[in-house]
Amino acid sequence: MKDIKEILLGRRSVRRYERQPIEEEKLNFIYEAIRNTPTSYNGQQFSVVAVTDQSIKEQLYEIMGQKQVKTSAVFLVFCLDFHQLDIAAQSKGIDFPDFQNSLNGYTVGVVDAALAMHSAEVAAESLGLGCCSIGYARTADPQKTSDILGLPEKVGIVCGLAIGYPRETPDLKPKRPVNIVVHKEKYSDDKTIVDELNEYDELVKKYNQERCGDKTCNDWVGHILDYHRHEKEKHIEDYLKKRSVDIKL
């Protein structure tokens, strides 16, 4: 197994995989790591759908358009899940408070699911596997994805994770400097942050122009803001309402 320093500091998004299934004992280890994820007050407001059937992965690829969905050995879809607690409450005759309809409730479900995905990623990479998280699982056509996966009400997609034996070792992407990620004692002043981010913006642009594989001229600030503008058009709120997750501010 890889040591934890190598896993966390050498993490890369792997998008090309060998045509090799993951052994059952390794999958079970990943699933156990997911199950043991820390969650808010042990509420465990998440579930995961593990897809190994190639025909289903192909259907999901048609929706998401990212090849790693269909070429991975397993594609995990992480969801916020209040359905299980709801039906357990019904079985005991306990009133269900629709916590998922509050901003705090939705946040709890998303955080639980995100922590579970991180558990899966660390476990998989410790075994020498490669991973790629896919946020597009939440935005491409989440209702169609939910129908394919048979998700009940009060269950909503948060993110996907492709896992497989890596067929590539991508360059390590530059990240923001630690002194503006971790603020000591109090938040850093704006001048320090802007100066650091301008340098980082140039570093990202240089990386994208020189990296292995497809090259671009993308910077960091402009590229991320374009992504935000695009994602605002997805109207995820409408999807969540259909899932009986109607966030009320």
Side-chain angles (χ1 to χ4, degrees):
M1 281 191 170
K2 292 182 180 179
D3 64 54
I4 194 66
K5 183 176 181 179
E6 183 181 3
I7 294 168
L8 295 179
L9 300 189
R11 190 210 62 79
R12 295 163 166 81
S13 292
V14 174
R15 294 175 172 83
R16 299 179 66 217
Y17 306 102
E18 301 290 351
R19 293 184 178 180
Q20 178 181 350
I22 299 172
E23 296 84 347
E24 185 175 358
E25 64 181 34
K26 292 185 177 180
L27 284 177
N28 287 338
F29 171 65
I30 294 169
Y31 300 157
E32 287 292 332
I34 290 171
R35 186 173 74 95
N36 198 42
T37 294
T39 61
S40 182
Y41 51 85
N42 197 36
Q44 305 168 72
Q45 285 97 176
F46 76 92
S47 287
V48 185
V49 180
V51 181
T52 57
D53 185 299
Q54 189 60 34
S55 65
I56 299 177
K57 286 190 291 178
E58 294 278 352
Q59 292 178 60
L60 297 178
Y61 164 73
E62 290 299 320
I63 296 171
M64 300 170 203
Q66 299 192 28
K67 63 182 182 298
Q68 57 269 40
V69 174
K70 65 177 178 179
T71 60
S72 61
V74 58
F75 184 63
L76 304 181
V77 181
F78 292 80
C79 306
L80 61 89
D81 187 342
F82 291 92
H83 173 73
Q84 293 189 12
L85 188 59
D86 184 19
I87 59 175
Q90 290 180 39
S91 73
K92 290 179 170 290
I94 302 173
D95 180 60
F96 187 80
D98 288 331
F99 180 55
Q100 81 284 354
N101 290 337
S102 68
L103 180 59
N104 187 40
Y106 174 72
T107 301
V108 164
V110 170
V111 170
D112 284 3
L115 289 171
M117 187 176 75
H118 185 61
S119 295
E121 188 170 19
V122 171
E125 293 195 4
S126 76
L127 300 170
L129 300 167
C131 302
C132 183
S133 56
I134 300 179
Y136 214 42
R138 181 182 64 257
T139 59
D141 190 340
Q143 186 57 55
K144 189 172 182 180
T145 299
S146 297
D147 292 343
I148 291 171
L149 301 179
L151 302 185
E153 287 190 350
K154 296 186 176 66
V155 177
I157 298 166
V158 173
C159 200
L161 184 69
I163 306 177
Y165 280 97
R167 196 176 178 182
E168 63 176 0
T169 305
D171 295 335
L172 192 62
K173 287 184 178 179
K175 301 293 185 180
R176 288 176 299 152
V178 70
N179 62 303
I180 64 167
V181 173
V182 180
H183 306 268
K184 296 181 179 179
E185 311 309 336
K186 63 179 182 179
Y187 201 85
S188 301
D189 63 90
D190 284 357
K191 184 180 186 309
T192 298
I193 294 173
V194 169
D195 288 345
E196 293 278 12
L197 287 180
N198 283 335
E199 289 185 23
Y200 175 65
D201 203 54
E202 290 300 317
L203 182 62
V204 171
K205 187 185 295 183
K206 187 173 186 293
Y207 163 82
N208 285 327
Q209 291 170 341
E210 298 177 355
R211 67 183 180 182
C212 294
D214 296 336
K215 296 173 174 56
T216 73
C217 293
N218 290 336
D219 61 357
W220 181 71
V221 178
H223 182 64
I224 297 303
L225 292 178
D226 282 344
Y227 168 77
H228 288 177
R229 292 185 189 97
H230 174 69
E231 289 303 300
K232 283 179 67 177
E233 300 170 0
K234 297 295 184 179
H235 302 296
I236 302 303
E237 299 87 351
D238 294 339
Y239 160 71
L240 291 172
K241 287 179 182 179
K242 293 179 181 178
R243 302 274 92 210
S244 295
V245 181
D246 188 4
I247 304 168
K248 297 178 176 62
L249 298 178

